[in-house]
Amino acid sequence: MMETIAYIGLAAAAAIVLPRLVARLELSRAKHPSLSGHARLARRIAALIPFYGYREEAFFRSDRAPDEVAAHRRAGFMRLAQLYRERFPRTLQMTAQAQPAVSDLQFTTAYRVPFQYRELVSRHLPIGGFAASSAGTTITDLDGNRFYDLSGSYGVNVFGYDFYKSCIAQGAARAAALGPVLGPYHPAVACNVARLREISGLDEVSFHMSGTEAVMQAVRLARYHTGRSHVVRFCGAYHGWWGDVQPGVGNPELPRETYTLKDMDEKTLRVLRRRRDIACVLVNPLQALHPNSAAPGDGSLVDSARSAHFDRSAYTEWLRRLRAVCSERGIVLIFDEVFVGFRLAPGGAQEYFGVRADLVTYGKTLGGGLPVGVVCGRKDLMRRYRDARPADICFARGTFNSHPYVMGAMQVFLERLTTPAVRALYDGLDERWNARAARMNRRLTEAGAPVRVANLSSIWLVYYTQPSRYNWMFQYYLRAEGIALSWVGTGRLIFSLDCGDADFEAVVERFVAAAAAMRGDGWWWSDAALTNKAIRRGILREMIAQRL
């Protein structure tokens, strides 16, 4: 009798424990097998990495290049340093004066290159943090140097800077009579809501102060209406700096209700089908260019393993399958279009990929050049209270939500989105930018430079075809040739859609000239023993030596 009871007890325990173990195993298999897919491990390893910097001799031959190559590099480096001093004096002076009191400048300076090279680069090749003017596809610094701007203002500049200056000026004129009154809405709000409903295909709209806030509200609404706790995000994707969507390095707290899973993977779909705690899935369509890889800044460019490739049909099929699973399981599918919104198509990523989301977040360019965040969603998901339970609410406000000047600039932006001139920019958009990327790659091949580009329409990424520890130097040669980049360097180039053939050809000439100069200065020296794996092993040995 007792034996029978024991067997029954074991069977009952197994019935409880085994499904949990299976679910846990499925979740582990759906995580990307890299540090960016395992937040806890990434934080632990980050805490073990010691700081160390190369002295001048080691700086130029950290890849064990011959003395004559190191001498070439040193000469090229110092030549660039002299050029920077002569060409950018006022801009660099103001940056140096401001940097001790501006934490953002300190951070971007420290993480513009791999940390081992930081000291010498910061001393000899400082980057100016100020600009005087912009026009169309260019930006001008305090010394009158005109650059072709490939920073895209981090995604804001879709149609050229003159476009946004005009949106801001006209929007301010429309809002001037009301001024900075907060609380009552400016009439522009009603127009903007109507247009955003048309664009998104969704029922309701809420306004916020930034893309990060819009994502916060979308996730909060999903949790509120599903009664579930967890957010699924994909490995490498960026959704702002809010804690729940930024696990791992960079977040002092470890999010406990976030699953970071593999993009474009059947194991992820299995987890979504099986688990009952998932409130929403966040998709950043930019990840179609580099699935499961984080934003590829030059500060982490320690070798040439970085790569990218965009397969529109494959990513579209992935989104369709994701949509089907979310519908089946009652999971809220959120498209975070803060970065790509209106760059891929007038209707955003939903139109471009032909897949509808339950909630969509917008920001960046939508404010007509001013800061904004927007959530569009289904009526049932946007509601912030329950009729039957009046104390059960989902609160979200913000002092500057729907600011009259922002709403005015947004109204002008949305009106212009329908004009023939802007619509013409979308005609043959993919074909035009794919052809331009192909032309750039042909020119780089002809120049013998181990540099290539991959693109998602007008968003480009630079990658390298030959193992090297010095690819991050390319950003400084590009700047010397008159190309402005964001602080992540060659990891993301963002063209405005108004970039004409003449301007693009000028960018190509400068880009290829920079690659030729860098190659001539010996930074892309190659050797049979210099593989990406050997580079990473060498860095690991250096770190271990510093810890001992």
Side-chain angles (χ1 to χ4, degrees), residues 134-136 138-139 149 151-153 157 159-166:
S134 65
T138 65
I139 188 167
D149 177 51
S151 76
S153 285
N157 184 17
F159 300 117
Y161 288 121
D162 293 335
F163 176 96
Y164 295 95
K165 289 180 184 179
S166 180

Side-chain angles (χ1 to χ4, degrees), residues 109-124:
T109 297
Y111 289 93
R112 201 178 294 274
V113 302
F115 67 82
Q116 298 96 330
Y117 304 91
R118 178 189 302 172
E119 195 278 328
L120 205 63
V121 170
S122 299
R123 177 151 44 100
H124 291 286

